[in-house]
Amino acid sequence: MSESGLIYLLWSDLVGMTRTRGVPLQDFDSRLESGLGWACAGQAMTPFEHLADNPWGPVDEVRQIPDADTRFTIPASGEHPAIHAVLCDSRPSPGEDWSACVRSFCRKAIADLKAETGLDLISAFELEFLLHGPDFVPEAPFSFAAARAQHGFLTELEAMLSAAGVAPETVEPEYGRGQYEISCSPRPALKAADAALVSCEITREAARRHGIRASFSPKPTPEHVGNGSHIHLSLANAEGLNVTYDGAHPLGLSETAAKFCAGILAHFDALLAITAPSPVSYHRLGPHHWSTGYRCIGWQNREAAIRIMPGISRDPEKAAKGFNLEIRASDCTASPYLAVGVLARAGLEGIRKNLSLPGPAEIDPADMSEEARLEAGITPLPESLDAALEAFKTDEVVRGWFSDDLYQSFMSVKSWEADYARSTAPEHLFARYRRTY
Ligand code: GLU
Ligand code: MG
């Protein structure tokens, strides 16, 4: 390869941040086999300038080894040079999995689901973000004015996403002041997590090139509408057919999909520590925000932790093709790999144990009577990071999916964040998460 410039080796960590080391592009081929070294302890970085206690200390190292299929380029524009990058797996040595690598955690969970059920997990992320900056003027929610005001940014964003191989399904203004959204297209779940990471980074870069900032923080300020990262899931058989739907079920779920959902719901409180893992996540979650406050499932219900998304066609075959589940209690402070990984594992657990689904929420669960909620098994979600971490700690099943190193470092980083939130003034806390994510 004779190109000049840099290529960034990227990897995602426990706090959903993309870390990197760059190498000359001309040396890329020679880095393909053994990558670059990185202190294991780096996996215990908090989102800020702080390394949490961790099992490795100053001694051990892993290799960040590029997965050549994930290489992408953000094209040059104006005075901004092209950016070349590639996603990596963290490995003790080439070909060997590291017990604390989030991408390998995700890959294994999906592989186990496939091995036991013959099904592939298909996924797509919906990513909400806030545009802000001194010269940014918000327009009305969902309005054409809000699209036109940012048309330059949105157009370049679409072009960059497409050039990087992660063309979005839609790009639009959202409900909140200054809030926008991209919906990624569905892909096999590991690639969907890759696409979520790449899409967030490209959005931040496109905004930067337009003199604004894009923040995916779940709650950029106490007043702003929350940013979700809804995760869509469906199950596909060996022929690639969506087998999530069955018209005979009251909620349209196939037998396997119903068990899959039951597994996710059974462990939802613990899963939340992974899918909504920062102190500000809990300022987004809660009833009446369309972000979800209750552990329940519901047909097209935006207040349910799992929203059933029916296919839109009148043709039953086409409708079955579009049918999917939307996990709403997740945000971009989560590692997309850990989030998809635990959802796959929880779903598999439901299939293994033949779990049955609790009653659905037919309306906003917050508007149901306490009695009706009890009867349907609908319970409030943990209301703080501490409560979610406690649920994780006490859920033996979920705990069992994590290696000791991964569990300890995750708990250590997240407990540090929970402590940090307790000792930090709210304006400062929101600003730091807004700036970092
Ligand atoms: N902003 C809402 C959330 O925090 C979601 C709104 C919607 O797209 O339904 O999840
Ligand atoms: Mg949205």
Side-chain angles (χ1 to χ4, degrees), residues 80-234:
H80 306 284
I83 299 178
H84 306 282
V86 66
L87 304 181
C88 295
D89 288 297
S90 312
R91 301 184 181 281
S93 63
E96 197 187 341
D97 285 332
W98 185 39
S99 57
C101 170
V102 292
R103 200 160 179 263
S104 126
F105 178 90
C106 184
R107 188 186 286 115
K108 279 193 188 147
I110 297 163
D112 284 354
L113 175 69
K114 169 101 176 177
E116 288 185 42
T117 65
L119 300 174
D120 283 304
L121 187 64
I122 308 298
S123 178
F125 283 64
E126 259 178 63
L127 305 162
E128 294 177 335
F129 56 95
L130 173 77
L131 289 182
H132 64 113
D135 299 325
F136 177 81
V137 183
E139 300 288 348
F142 306 117
S143 69
F144 190 27
R148 282 187 293 103
Q150 295 306 325
H151 185 57
F153 158 72
L154 295 173
T155 302
E156 188 166 15
L157 173 60
E158 189 285 325
M160 285 175 165
L161 293 169
S162 294
V166 290
E169 228 166 40
T170 64
V171 174
E172 63 251 337
E174 245 284 354
Y175 172 67
R177 265 175 83 80
Q179 191 182 39
Y180 290 75
E181 167 172 324
I182 43 182
S183 300
C184 303
S185 19
R187 294 154 202 274
L190 182 69
K191 284 190 190 308
D194 288 344
L197 179 157
V198 171
S199 299
C200 287
E201 294 299 350
I202 288 184
T203 305
R204 294 184 179 108
E205 175 61 11
R208 194 185 68 80
R209 290 188 188 183
H210 286 262
I212 45 181
R213 289 186 70 92
S215 175
F216 291 84
S217 168
K219 195 74 175 166
T221 71
E223 291 76 37
H224 273 92
V225 170
N227 291 319
S229 144
H230 306 162
I231 304 177
H232 292 260
L233 299 173
S234 60

Side-chain angles (χ1 to χ4, degrees), residues 242-259:
N242 185 343
V243 291
T244 322
Y245 176 72
D246 183 344
H249 186 273
L251 291 173
L253 292 166
S254 65
E255 208 182 311
T256 310
K259 290 177 197 167

